[in-house]
Amino acid sequence: MTDVVVQEGAAAAPTNAWRAKALANFKTGDSTFRILAQLAAATVLLLLGGIILSLIIGAWPAITTYGVDFLTTQRWAPNARPNPVLGGLGPIYGTLISSVIALLIAVPVGLGIAIFLTELCPQWLRRPVGVAVELLAGIPSIIYGMWGFFVLGPLLADQIEPAIAEAVENIPILNVIFAGPASNLSLFNASLVLAIMILPFVTAIARDVFNTVPPVLKEAAYGLGCTTWEVVRRVVIPYTRVGVIGGIMLALGRALGETMAVTFVIGNSFRISGSIFAPGTTISAAIASEFAESRDLHQSALILLGLLLFVLTFFVLAAARLMLMRLERKQGA
Amino acid sequence: MNPFYASRRRTSKVAMALCTGATIFGLAWLTMILFTLFWNGFAGLTVALFTEMTPPPNAQGGGLLNAIVGSLILTILGIGVGAPIGILAGTYMAEYGRYSKITSVIRFINDILLSAPSIIIGLFVYGAVVVPMGGFSGLAGALALAVIALPVVVRTTEDMLLLVPTQLREAAVALGMPQSYMIRKITWRAARVGLVTGLLLAVARVSGETAPLLFTALSNQFWSVDLLKTMANLPVTINNFINNPDPNWKRLAWAGALLITLAVLSLNIVARSLSGGRNPK
């Protein structure tokens, strides 16, 4: 910015002095504000660096002690003598399995709701239903945990799990996956609670990307005589595929890191069982239930689990964002 | 009607019925969860809940006063630290560096922080604040909440400032206003409602967070407003009370859960009605 100094003779001298002072004030204020804004923006970047750094420092003793074996060891014995035996396979397995099952349930339902909201729902009902589904996302996760523990758990253990187990009794493979005994605390219960929790994310993103489809494409398809389902299946979904997959990845990122809801219902067992009706644990549940009482190598191993979780979610979320960005560019073009 | 077309119509009908079913299924969960909360928690919403301290185990009565106050302090402090930084960072992205490469990097990183597991934030604050300070503290809890609130505020601030028409900025600059004054007097003011929405969403997001408080603020059975000591807060108190067989504690936990949910949901609804249809993600 260049300053224009106007010379108007001697009488204007005091005015000029005030003006110079005001300009100087403006300048310092301006640059201070700019620097503050830059610092704040840098904080966001530093935060990510700080998180990674602090996790690596915290996890270092466990990394040097266990190395790659940590990923393949199932035994979790923090009190073993002389040295604790700690392996992360159990929680890693639980995290992945519970998230995948949650996605298998939440994705079809979420897409169904999004299709309902964009294609079927009468205009006046769209907003209330949309908001109601989004409110599901606002409920704190501890509430989901309590509900899963006190309501869903008994229901599953008494009615649904025995019924499923009986139905698949004689079918190979399935009778291992759905083997009893039914229990309140299980991987299955955790997956269901997770599914309900990520449902609003899948729905909201799917609805938003479905709305980006140009109406003229849909109208053309209807004009050719397509049914509603054919329009969705052949026009809407192909057009928005990248965005939908991005939304699913985003939901997966949430599911992987969800803590409180899972801690309540998963049973915190580090043993891997073939049955999803058996208790298990996830990385976040393990940290939440053991961290406060842990020390030394045990604590470091928990931080290492946290680091693994962060790396995992980082890549899932990064992929999700890149996909959503691709759709946005397409929309902008 | 030829049979082929009839079968296509049938497929469509079935698929659409399934979609409607999915919606009912989704809304049923919301209703069931809210119903459970009211069923178990409504009886606990008494005056004592707001005026008495958390009781010792196996006692009668008592309330959640210290936990409610602790939660308020942690939330206000967390937002107080996170929001100004978030608004400034969002302002940088929308005003100063709108077209620069660094802004897209920040946006990308911020979006990842936005969805990062909150328990990781807890671990980070444990390593960065609790260990150096030598113990659990309310301050650490507030900082954890600030880290969670920050990306929410950054995201909404940037989105809302980008909605402000460029002509407004050009007019202000043409009058000779320095850029920072233009931002504060024109763009912030034009986007005021949006910025408030972002703050409300951030408050809603942090007030239910439990995981990052488990090993930062911990909790406290007694009245304490000392930021350097452990501090009682609703989520962790609920977590501790609900896992206990004591029926009185359970009753209080359900009442507290209802309280948090109502607060969070009403914040969400207010934020949504303020933003009027544009929903910031």
Side-chain angles (χ1 to χ4, degrees), chain A residues 1 25-27 29-31 33-34 36-45 47-48 50-52 54-55 105 108-113 115-117 119-120 127 129 131-144 146-147 149-152 155 192 196 199 204-205 207-208 224-230 232 250 253-254 256-260 264 284-285 287-289 291-292 294 299 302-303 305-307 309-310 313-314 317-319 321-322 325 328, chain B residues 5 8-9 11-13 15-20 22-27 29-30 32-34 36-37 40 84-86 88-89 91-93 96 102 104-106 108-121 123-128 131 136 147 150-151 154-155 176-181 183-184 188 204-205 207-211 214-215 218 235-236 238-239 242-243 250 253-254 256-258 260-261 264-265 268-269 272-273 276-279 281:
Chain A
M1 205 163 67
N25 279 345
F26 263 164
K27 264 192 188 159
D30 204 38
S31 49
F33 187 82
R34 192 193 167 102
L36 280 179
Q38 280 167 337
L39 284 179
T43 310
V44 177
L45 298 180
L47 211 51
L48 184 79
I51 291 173
I52 296 174
S54 98
L55 288 179
I105 299 167
V109 177
L111 291 183
I113 299 178
I115 293 170
F116 175 81
L117 283 174
E119 305 296 331
L120 293 178
R127 224 176 121 62
V129 173
V131 170
V133 173
E134 278 167 33
L135 283 187
L136 268 176
I139 297 177
S141 64
I142 188 169
I143 309 291
Y144 282 98
M146 290 163 69
W147 181 79
F149 184 77
F150 288 102
V151 181
L152 192 60
L155 183 73
L192 268 182
I196 303 168
L199 184 61
I205 291 177
R207 185 194 55 188
D208 289 352
L224 288 173
C226 285
T227 60
T228 315
W229 170 243
E230 283 162 354
V232 171
L250 205 60
R254 293 276 177 160
L256 288 171
E258 182 42 53
T259 309
M260 292 321 291
F264 268 88
S284 46
I287 299 172
S289 48
F291 194 81
S294 66
Q299 186 166 65
L302 287 170
I303 297 178
L305 279 177
L307 179 65
L309 174 66
F310 189 65
T313 44
F314 186 92
L317 293 172
R321 287 299 171 186
L322 288 176
M325 263 153 68
E328 260 165 41
Chain B
Y5 185 55
R8 281 170 58 204
R9 293 235 339 209
T11 316
S12 181
K13 283 251 167 62
M16 290 306 123
L18 285 177
C19 290
T20 316
T23 311
I24 295 168
F25 181 72
L27 294 181
W29 293 118
L30 180 69
M32 264 160 79
I33 291 171
L34 289 181
T36 312
L37 270 179
N40 291 297
I85 302 179
L88 280 172
T91 306
Y92 174 82
M93 292 159 73
Y96 289 109
I102 189 89
S104 25
V105 175
I106 295 174
F108 188 73
I109 301 287
N110 188 65
D111 280 346
I112 285 176
L113 287 178
L114 190 65
S115 322
S118 57
I119 191 142
I120 300 291
I121 310 289
L123 285 180
F124 164 60
V125 173
Y126 180 86
V131 173
F136 302 108
V147 175
L150 178 71
V154 172
R155 180 71 196 253
M177 229 185 212
Q179 198 174 7
S180 66
Y181 287 73
I183 291 168
R184 273 178 292 169
W188 276 5
R205 173 81 199 269
S207 48
E209 283 292 351
T210 316
L214 282 176
F215 31 82
L218 214 62
V236 179
I238 294 172
N239 183 45
I242 201 79
N243 287 318
K250 264 210 172 83
W254 279 111
L258 179 61
I260 288 194
T261 310
V264 171
L265 290 189
N268 265 309
I269 290 173
R272 258 162 234 289
S273 54
R278 303 187 301 255
N279 65 72
K281 278 181 291 298

Side-chain angles (χ1 to χ4, degrees), chain B residues 26-236:
Chain B
L27 294 181
W29 293 118
L30 180 69
T31 333
M32 264 160 79
I33 291 171
L34 289 181
F35 177 78
T36 312
L37 270 179
F38 273 99
W39 183 260
N40 291 297
F42 196 69
L45 283 186
T46 54
V47 180
L49 190 73
F50 302 96
T51 54
E52 288 177 31
M53 303 293 161
T54 45
N58 302 315
Q60 285 301 308
L64 293 169
L65 177 64
N66 47 349
I68 294 172
V69 172
S71 260
L72 285 178
I73 295 176
L74 290 180
T75 307
I76 291 171
L77 210 63
I79 297 289
V81 174
I85 302 179
I87 289 185
L88 280 172
T91 306
Y92 174 82
M93 292 159 73
E95 303 285 342
Y96 289 109
R98 186 183 288 203
Y99 304 105
S100 73
K101 197 126 196 116
I102 189 89
T103 296
S104 25
V105 175
I106 295 174
R107 190 181 301 129
F108 188 73
I109 301 287
N110 188 65
D111 280 346
I112 285 176
L113 287 178
L114 190 65
S115 322
S118 57
I119 191 142
I120 300 291
I121 310 289
L123 285 180
F124 164 60
V125 173
Y126 180 86
V129 181
V130 175
V131 173
M133 277 180 54
F136 302 108
S137 65
L139 187 65
L143 287 177
L145 294 185
V147 175
I148 289 169
L150 178 71
V152 182
V153 180
V154 172
R155 180 71 196 253
T156 41
T157 305
E158 198 210 353
D159 284 353
M160 292 304 164
L161 289 181
L162 287 179
L163 289 176
V164 175
T166 319
Q167 286 91 327
L168 275 181
R169 300 194 179 92
E170 287 165 355
V173 172
L175 287 174
M177 229 185 212
Q179 198 174 7
S180 66
Y181 287 73
M182 179 270 286
I183 291 168
R184 273 178 292 169
K185 305 280 180 202
I186 309 290
T187 40
W188 276 5
R189 199 162 286 190
R192 196 174 39 205
V193 177
L195 300 185
V196 173
T197 309
L199 288 189
L200 289 179
L201 287 177
V203 174
R205 173 81 199 269
V206 301
S207 48
E209 283 292 351
T210 316
L213 296 178
L214 282 176
F215 31 82
T216 51
L218 214 62
S219 193
N220 194 328
Q221 190 68 36
F222 307 102
W223 173 264
S224 164
V225 288
D226 186 347
L227 279 176
L228 300 177
K229 297 212 177 82
T230 60
M231 190 178 268
N233 58 84
L234 268 180
V236 179

